[in-house]
Amino acid sequence: LGMPPSMFEAVTVPLLGAYRRAFPQVQIHVREGVSADLCEAVTAGVLDIAVVIDHEDVSHLRQLRMQPLFAEGLWLVGPPGGPPMNGASMSLERVATLPLIVSGRPNALRAILDEGLASAGRSRKPAIEANSARLSIALAEMGAGWAVLPYSGALRALREERLVGLPIDGLRVRWVLASPRAQSRTLQTLRLQAFLEDILRSVQGMTDWRLDASLLRAFHAP
């Protein structure tokens, strides 16, 4: 199983805990990484499935099947007491004025941010590049800059009020499940996928988290 670092607390830990309790005899290999690396690992047969971002960085890999899962906003988060966080969202113009903690290139999350800033006629050299959501959160908490993360990556820190934040105007992340087109999934992998979908449905209603229609249909089915 391949998972993004940003989902460590919201998805990965509860998913593996539930699957392990249900199937203690199954050995699980988990890899955290950026979407491009996880897709390459699925293509090479190192991983059976991986949760990745639906972006041109990975969509060119035609040998992979991409099943939509959910979408969420890309958030700007930082320590309480910093610049005012007024309104329902943060403009790209305002984002471009702040010291940013972002993923290093090549990275789909970084590409989404860079494309958004370019469309607004802005560019920004980050203060810190870090491909770890946990490191980005820790750096933001200590006031080293403002982290740009998917909502799921900042969820716990926001709920515990260790950080404050707002979604960035117009920037959303679409997550999909990548698997090989030419290879049938094993029973263990299908069960893992079912547990993943159950975890995602269990957090339905979370602010800024929108499940794909196929998962919603399953959620509302009798």
Side-chain angles (χ1 to χ4, degrees):
L1 171 68
M3 293 295 295
S6 62
M7 291 189 195
F8 172 76
E9 292 177 335
V11 179
T12 306
V13 171
L15 167 63
L16 295 176
Y19 190 84
R20 180 66 180 165
R21 288 190 295 272
F23 305 105
Q25 76 282 8
V26 177
Q27 184 182 41
I28 307 170
H29 169 71
V30 186
R31 176 184 294 188
E32 284 189 316
V34 299
S35 293
D37 291 345
L38 295 181
C39 283
E40 293 292 347
V42 174
T43 302
V46 176
L47 298 175
D48 294 302
I49 54 175
V51 176
V52 300
I53 294 174
D54 183 14
H55 188 267
E56 61 184 17
D57 286 358
V58 298
S59 60
H60 69 284
L61 299 173
R62 300 185 182 279
Q63 61 269 50
L64 295 181
R65 180 191 299 111
M66 300 292 195
Q67 176 187 328
L69 293 174
F70 71 99
E72 61 180 336
L74 200 58
W75 279 56
L76 180 78
V77 296
M85 302 294 281
N86 301 321
S89 61
M90 178 68 70
S91 70
L92 284 161
E93 290 77 12
R94 184 73 176 104
V95 170
T97 68
L98 299 171
L100 300 179
I101 303 168
V102 300
S103 301
R105 300 188 184 102
N107 178 278
L109 287 174
R110 174 68 178 274
I112 291 171
L113 174 64
D114 288 348
E115 290 163 7
L117 290 171
S119 69
R122 305 280 175 154
S123 62
R124 181 67 180 170
K125 184 177 181 179
I128 300 174
E129 292 184 335
N131 284 349
S132 163
R134 282 161 283 184
L135 177 57
S136 295
I137 290 291
L139 291 169
E141 286 181 8
M142 68 186 298
W146 287 76
V148 178
L149 292 167
Y151 178 73
S152 57
L155 171 64
R156 184 171 180 179
L158 290 169
R159 285 184 172 175
E160 294 176 352
E161 299 182 348
R162 292 182 281 120
L163 293 176
V164 296
L166 286 173
I168 302 172
D169 280 343
L171 300 191
R172 294 189 67 78
V173 183
R174 295 186 301 275
W175 297 100
V176 296
L177 187 69
S179 60
R181 285 187 182 277
Q183 179 179 328
S184 298
R185 278 169 279 190
T186 65
L187 176 60
Q188 291 87 351
T189 301
L190 290 171
R191 285 172 171 168
L192 184 59
Q193 179 179 337
F195 270 71
L196 170 63
E197 294 176 358
D198 283 343
I199 293 294
L200 296 179
R201 287 193 290 267
S202 73
V203 294
Q204 175 63 2
M206 182 194 298
T207 301
D208 212 20
W209 191 318
R210 301 291 179 267
L211 289 181
D212 180 72
S214 62
L215 297 184
L216 282 172
R217 285 194 294 271
F219 180 68
H220 291 299

